[in-house]
């Protein structure tokens, strides 16, 4: 099968101790656990997912996932069976005890939301007094526990002027990545006014510049704005950011599970492909008409004729939210295609999600170590290991050599989990 669920986001609950203005599933304190899948059902879905891809990246999120008492049980079950597990949280409930429990359950990293360094803005946006102070304290605890974390920011008109400061601050905190999220008008986010297409272009241009500035120290990424790839391609065509096999991965390499077991192409696209309580993950992933439409359908409007359609293709969730069609042109994009029918493709021979056929000899123990890396980055990592080995005049890949590769990197990745070693190996 050409399409593999390399990354699966799982909204385990709609319950949340905050009530963020932009929440795509409208989570909050008023929600109950009544409609949530129970622990046994969750573990069964993990087994179904791993039967299709034994080594996915599994993102456990919410709402606020720390409100589920069985979070560590689900995480431990999935990580113990081969998944790389990360947790997305608002950060306010990350006590030392919870961090220790997550680490013990095999969680590889934490994604934490910080929308402003101004308490008045962050706390108001998240609808929680003292939320920023709680998150900042949590980051100190994560650092002390040596558990990797990502900073996630939803860019709005209100925090746009401090975005550069937020990126710099995130790097100073020791974040492995800064993820800038662009609004998709779904859930409570439908009530917010978005940036203009002109503002999109300006922010994406800034992010592309900051990606180069912080490369080797911290990843900088745009989320729900695949036209970021166009900016990177135009300004830095050899950038490792372009290691992507497809355009927007929605429904092709990526999908989302809702708290009640529905399967959708991504968290921001609420159209349902099927119900995991009635059908298997494999059946829905392989045969759902919605997923087939995303994989085989022709993009509409200017996205369909754009020379960047293989690298970008526009955000399918935003097209659905604003145009009612998953294949429509992304309304947030200002770029006008040149009319050149030739597709622009990444220059790299191997991209995320690709298999890699080794040219050098790999010791069994080195192969076993690679087998534990998430499927979407394994081919890229193996290729770069072989490139490094050739530069050193080596012909065999051993565990000792893998340790040398890590120690030679700008960041000391010897203490980090393999999920985050994507652009620097």
């Amino acid at each position: 099968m050409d399409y593999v669920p390399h990354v699966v986001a799982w909204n385990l609950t709609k319950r949340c101790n905050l009530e963020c203005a932009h929440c795509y599933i409208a989570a909050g304190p008023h929600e109950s656990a009544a409609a949530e899948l129970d622990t046994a059902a969750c573990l069964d879905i993990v087994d179904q997912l791993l039967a299709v891809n034994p080594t996915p990246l599994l993102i456990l999120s919410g709402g606020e996932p720390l409100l589920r008492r069985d979070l560590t049980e689900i995480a431990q079950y999935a990580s113990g069976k081969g998944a790389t597990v990360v947790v997305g949280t608002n950060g306010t409930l990350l006590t030392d005890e919870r961090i220790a429990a997550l680490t013990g359950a095999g969680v590889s990293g934490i994604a934490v939301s910080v929308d402003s360094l101004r308490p008045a803005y962050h706390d108001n946006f998240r609808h929680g007094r003292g939320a920023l102070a709680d998150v900042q304290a949590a980051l100190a605890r994560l650092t002390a526990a040596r558990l990797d974390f990502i900073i996630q920011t939803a860019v709005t008109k209100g925090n746009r002027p401090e975005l550069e400061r937020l990126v710099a601050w995130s790097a100073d905190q020791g974040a492995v990545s800064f993820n800038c999220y662009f609004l998709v008008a779904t859930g409570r986010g439908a009530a917010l006014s978005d940036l203009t297409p002109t503002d999109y272009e300006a922010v994406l241009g800034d992010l592309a510049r900051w990606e180069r500035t912080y490369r080797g120290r911290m990843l900088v990424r745009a989320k729900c704005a695949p036209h970021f790839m166009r900016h990177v391609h135009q300004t830095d065509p050899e950038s490792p950011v372009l290691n992507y096999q497809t355009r927007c991965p929605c429904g092709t390499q990526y999908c989302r599970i809702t708290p009640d077991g529905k399967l959708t192409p991504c968290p921001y696209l609420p159209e349902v492909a099927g119900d995991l309580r009635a059908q298997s993950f494999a059946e829905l992933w392989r045969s759902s008409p919605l997923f087939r439409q995303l994989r085989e359908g022709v993009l509409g409007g200017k996205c369909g004729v754009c020379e960047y359609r293989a690298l970008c293709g526009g955000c399918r969730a935003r097209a659905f939210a604003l145009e009612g069609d998953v294949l429509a042109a992304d309304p947030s994009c200002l770029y006008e295609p040149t009319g050149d029918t030739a597709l622009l493709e990444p220059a790299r021979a191997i991209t995320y999600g690709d298999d890699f056929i080794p040219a050098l000899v790999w010791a069994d123990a080195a192969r076993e170590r690679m087998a534990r890396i998430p499927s979407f980055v394994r081919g890229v990592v193996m290729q770069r290991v072989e490139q490094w080995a050739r530069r050193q005049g080596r012909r065999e890949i051993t565990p000792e050599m893998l340790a040398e590769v890590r120690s030679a990197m700008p960041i000391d990745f010897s203490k980090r989990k393999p999920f985050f070693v994507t652009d620097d190996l």
Side-chain angles (χ1 to χ4, degrees):
M1 187 178 62
D2 292 335
Y3 299 98
V4 177
H6 293 296
V7 182
V8 177
W10 194 342
N11 297 121
L12 287 171
T13 181
K14 284 189 71 175
R15 290 175 287 145
C16 190
N17 59 316
L18 302 180
E19 198 167 12
C20 305
H22 66 310
C23 182
Y24 57 87
I25 62 170
H30 58 282
E31 297 290 342
S32 75
E36 295 173 7
L37 298 172
D38 62 21
T39 306
C42 289
L43 301 187
D44 179 64
I45 289 175
V46 169
D47 285 335
Q48 293 184 42
L49 169 60
L50 297 182
V52 177
N53 178 9
T55 53
L57 172 65
L58 183 59
I59 305 168
L60 301 180
S61 184
E64 177 46 63
L66 290 173
L67 293 178
R68 281 200 60 140
R69 295 180 179 179
D70 58 357
L71 174 62
T72 53
E73 182 178 353
I74 296 168
Q76 187 164 24
Y77 187 80
S79 65
K81 291 207 163 191
T84 296
V85 180
V86 297
V87 171
T89 171
N90 61 45
T92 61
L93 304 180
L94 281 171
T95 63
D96 287 325
E97 292 74 20
R98 297 309 297 272
I99 292 170
L102 292 172
T103 302
V107 171
S108 297
I110 304 290
V112 176
S113 298
V114 179
D115 296 302
S116 174
L117 296 178
R118 293 170 288 144
Y121 181 94
H122 180 91
D123 293 359
N124 182 62
F125 191 71
R126 294 278 162 180
H127 289 195
R129 180 177 296 179
L132 178 60
D134 289 341
V135 172
Q136 291 173 320
L139 294 179
R141 296 186 190 106
L142 290 169
T143 300
R146 301 185 67 82
L147 183 57
D148 285 339
F149 60 87
I150 288 171
I151 299 295
Q152 306 199 129
T153 296
V155 61
T156 67
K157 294 177 181 178
N159 64 3
R160 167 71 182 97
E162 65 174 316
L163 201 58
E164 183 171 12
R165 182 184 172 209
L166 273 165
V167 174
W169 175 82
S170 299
D172 290 342
Q173 297 302 303
V176 297
S177 183
F178 176 84
N179 291 346
C180 182
Y181 277 81
F182 289 76
L183 180 71
V184 176
T186 187
R188 278 197 294 272
L192 296 181
S193 60
D194 198 6
L195 300 175
T196 66
T198 300
D199 290 332
Y200 265 72
E201 288 295 300
V203 175
L204 291 171
D206 287 342
L207 290 169
R209 186 175 71 254
W210 298 330
E211 187 280 321
R212 295 193 304 274
T213 300
Y214 291 96
R215 189 178 301 164
R217 180 183 177 192
M218 179 183 74
L219 310 182
V220 176
R221 295 291 181 268
K223 298 295 182 178
C224 305
H227 24 322
F228 176 61
M229 298 300 178
R230 167 170 51 83
H231 282 267
V232 173
H233 187 270
Q234 290 172 342
T235 59
D236 189 12
E238 294 301 314
S239 170
V241 172
L242 297 172
N243 274 338
Y244 285 87
Q245 186 184 46
T246 67
R247 55 200 188 207
C248 171
C250 170
T252 60
Q253 299 187 25
Y254 182 46
C255 61
R256 182 272 296 258
I257 303 170
T258 67
D260 59 352
K262 304 294 195 306
L263 193 66
T264 81
C266 93
Y268 304 94
L269 208 169
E271 191 77 345
V272 174
D275 191 336
L276 292 171
R277 295 170 299 185
Q279 295 171 275
S280 72
F281 180 89
E283 180 184 0
L284 292 176
W285 176 259
R286 292 169 177 157
S287 305
S288 161
L290 177 58
F291 285 159
R292 291 180 67 90
Q293 182 184 16
L294 286 163
R295 296 164 188 173
E296 302 166 8
V298 177
L299 294 177
K302 66 181 183 181
C303 281
V305 297
C306 184
E307 63 272 24
Y308 285 100
R309 63 190 180 275
L311 283 175
C312 167
C315 174
R316 300 300 94 220
R318 187 173 295 105
F320 180 79
L322 299 179
E323 304 294 335
D325 180 359
V326 296
L327 296 176
D330 183 343
S332 70
C333 182
L334 193 66
Y335 182 75
E336 290 297 332
T338 63
D340 187 349
T341 58
L343 284 176
L344 292 172
E345 298 274 6
R348 298 187 179 272
I350 192 86
T351 57
Y352 290 161
D354 282 350
D355 291 329
F356 177 71
I357 300 175
L360 303 181
V361 175
W362 284 70
D364 289 344
R367 282 182 178 272
E368 290 173 3
R369 187 166 297 179
M370 289 295 106
R372 296 195 294 269
I373 291 179
S375 58
F376 80 104
V377 295
R378 188 181 305 127
V380 172
V381 171
M382 292 182 71
Q383 180 197 43
R384 297 199 188 172
V385 167
E386 289 205 354
Q387 289 172 342
W388 189 91
R390 286 193 182 94
R391 290 196 298 268
Q392 302 298 316
R394 312 279 275 277
R395 293 293 178 266
E396 181 178 4
I397 311 299
T398 65
E400 292 75 20
M401 201 205 77
L402 294 179
E404 290 180 45
V405 174
R406 286 198 301 270
S407 64
M409 295 169 67
I411 302 174
D412 179 12
F413 279 97
S414 63
K415 300 298 190 297
R416 298 198 187 280
K417 309 298 187 297
F419 161 58
F420 297 108
V421 190
T422 56
D423 287 350
D424 300 277
L425 191 58

